[in-house]
Amino acid sequence: MGLRQESIHPVMTKSEKQFSTAIVGGGLAGLSLAIGLVQRGIPVQIYEGATEWTDAGAGLVFAKNSMVAMEKISPDIYKAFAKRSSGQGWESKKTTYMDYRDGSTDGGLITSVICANTGQESVHRTLFAKDLVALLPSGTFHMGKRLVAIDNRPDGGYTLLWADGQSTDADVVLGSDGIKSKCRQLLLGEDSPEAVPKFAKEFAYRGMVPMERAIEVLGEEFARNSMVNIGSNCLTTTYPVEKGTLLNLVACRSIDTWEHDEWVVPSSQEAVRKDFAGCGPVMQKVISMMDKPAMWALFDHPECSTFYKGRFALIGDAAHASTPHQGAGCGQAFEDALVMCSLLEDERVVSAAHVEDALEAYDAVRRPRTLRIVNTSRENGEICMMRGEDTGDDLGKIKATLDQRFHWIWHEDLDQQVQQAKSKMREVSEARPIK
């Protein structure tokens, strides 16, 4: 694959990896990484802060790059995904990622964005996560382990301190504990402006309804296929999940500041109607199905000076949480996991002392792409709320932008990305040989 065969380290088999790894956070990023490492013979334990699964869940959408990454991490992950995923309901829309419609009027079509070969697939987050846990060996996944601190050990490893008073030693720590990541705060410094997420100046109402009800309210086409209705300072996104038995609902609204201490606050149908007053009939129908609405503030991580320090690194939302407007955030978690698995599996990484080179390579390859996705997702939200800097409320300009802005995300050559990371690791390793 373009790499020389000689190595400054002896060639080792997978079973001879001489380091222990703790993954903090049991969402899709951490679970996919854990599965990939275990199936490559690399010992790992994964720790989730929640004490139990919640039923609320949320829908997630994926395109080509995400599904390719799943398959390359482990075919078992992709099989679990395919068991639950939903595509477009109509055969004529199988290659469509999203229909973008004019929600300020009657929902007329602006453009159908095409992602050839895959279209769009969606899944119920919580149910998919439970399926991934089942792929791990017994005793690997631990719930109720909320991280409070990490102490550095003299040998370069770490002691993780949990809220339950217990502790865990690990040579390597990989933080996948979501947008409110404690790992991020500890890695970047709790006083660093980069350590905390930034308010994206918008909030969302979310919900799921049975498909039968959605069809009754929206009609077959709008209920069974993925739609974004755009309006002035607002939008709605709907798509089927769980093999088309449920419709996921999202209604976003711009707002300059968030005055609440909590990120999720109860609301009412009256408040939702007020927030979307003046929108077209299709958007009104979408919000009418929000039976128990709550306002979800949207935050992201638009900047980060590093994803690693020593043998400690961030992946997924802990590193690069984004708004939902490109449907690309979770897919980046799978790309992270693929690159990380491939680096730690490499024959050059034998002992804990070699891991830092792998993490430096991971950071060099993954950070620019993922932070670009965070920031272009914010931009796409502005475009779809008719306040984009270059598009405003001009539907022609909005169409021209939407038709081309996703391709660089979807059509990434993941094999090339992995090889780029391995080449970077080799460069780092040869420039700084480990004694």
Side-chain angles (χ1 to χ4, degrees), residues 7 11 41 44 49 63 65 75 197 213 215 261 263 364 375 405 434-435:
S7 171
V11 176
V44 65
N65 62 303
R213 180 183 176 193
I215 291 171
D261 293 333
W263 287 17
N375 286 287
R405 70 177 290 112
I434 299 174
K435 303 297 184 182

Side-chain angles (χ1 to χ4, degrees), residues 103 203-209 213-214 217-218 229 234-238 247-253 267-294:
F203 68 90
Y205 297 105
R206 295 175 177 172
M208 282 191 189
V209 296
R213 180 183 176 193
V217 174
L218 295 173
N229 291 282
C234 62
L235 63 83
T236 62
T237 304
T238 56
L247 187 67
N248 191 72
L249 313 173
V250 182
C252 293
R253 184 85 199 181
S267 188
S268 66
Q269 254 293 325
E270 181 182 4
V272 179
R273 288 194 298 270
K274 182 178 178 181
D275 283 331
F276 286 83
C279 294
V282 177
M283 295 179 79
Q284 296 292 342
K285 289 177 183 178
V286 171
I287 65 170
S288 74
M289 294 186 285
M290 302 276 189
D291 294 330
K292 297 180 180 179

Side-chain angles (χ1 to χ4, degrees), residues 24 32 53 99 106 111 153 170 178 207 266 310 350 368-369 374 385 427:
V24 181
S32 59
W53 295 104
D99 278 347
D106 61 356
T111 188
R153 298 198 323 245
V350 179
R369 174 167 165 82
V374 174
M385 293 190 198
E427 174 190 321

Side-chain angles (χ1 to χ4, degrees), residues 12 27 116 155 185-186 230 233 258 287 296 308 371 390 393 406:
M12 297 284 181
D155 64 356
Q185 295 171 24
L186 296 172
I230 73 173
N233 294 306
W258 185 253
I287 65 170
W296 297 61
Y308 89 104
L371 293 184
D390 298 321
D393 60 1
F406 300 96

Side-chain angles (χ1 to χ4, degrees), residues 245-262:
T245 61
L246 299 171
L247 187 67
N248 191 72
L249 313 173
V250 182
C252 293
R253 184 85 199 181
S254 63
I255 186 173
D256 288 335
T257 59
W258 185 253
E259 305 293 346
H260 308 279
D261 293 333
E262 300 297 326

Side-chain angles (χ1 to χ4, degrees), residues 161-315:
L161 307 175
W162 309 110
D164 62 9
Q166 297 182 339
S167 63
T168 301
D169 289 334
D171 297 316
V172 180
V173 176
L174 303 175
S176 61
D177 49 340
I179 189 170
K180 297 181 180 181
S181 172
K182 183 66 175 180
C183 286
R184 184 184 180 99
Q185 295 171 24
L186 296 172
L187 188 145
L188 297 173
E190 295 186 90
D191 294 331
S192 169
E194 295 182 351
V196 294
K198 306 300 185 293
F199 180 54
K201 296 189 176 182
E202 54 186 299
F203 68 90
Y205 297 105
R206 295 175 177 172
M208 282 191 189
V209 296
M211 183 56 70
E212 293 81 0
R213 180 183 176 193
I215 291 171
E216 183 179 325
V217 174
L218 295 173
E220 284 274 349
E221 181 181 8
F222 280 72
R224 292 201 180 277
N225 302 289
S226 301
M227 305 282 175
V228 176
N229 291 282
I230 73 173
S232 177
N233 294 306
C234 62
L235 63 83
T236 62
T237 304
T238 56
Y239 50 87
V241 296
E242 277 299 286
K243 294 299 181 184
T245 61
L246 299 171
L247 187 67
N248 191 72
L249 313 173
V250 182
C252 293
R253 184 85 199 181
S254 63
I255 186 173
D256 288 335
T257 59
W258 185 253
E259 305 293 346
H260 308 279
D261 293 333
E262 300 297 326
W263 287 17
V264 182
V265 296
S267 188
S268 66
Q269 254 293 325
E270 181 182 4
V272 179
R273 288 194 298 270
K274 182 178 178 181
D275 283 331
F276 286 83
C279 294
V282 177
M283 295 179 79
Q284 296 292 342
K285 289 177 183 178
V286 171
I287 65 170
S288 74
M289 294 186 285
M290 302 276 189
D291 294 330
K292 297 180 180 179
M295 298 171 65
W296 297 61
L298 298 185
F299 286 78
D300 61 11
H301 284 305
E303 55 190 21
C304 191
S305 54
T306 183
F307 284 176
Y308 89 104
K309 189 175 292 183
R311 304 177 203 160
F312 182 13
L314 306 173
I315 74 165

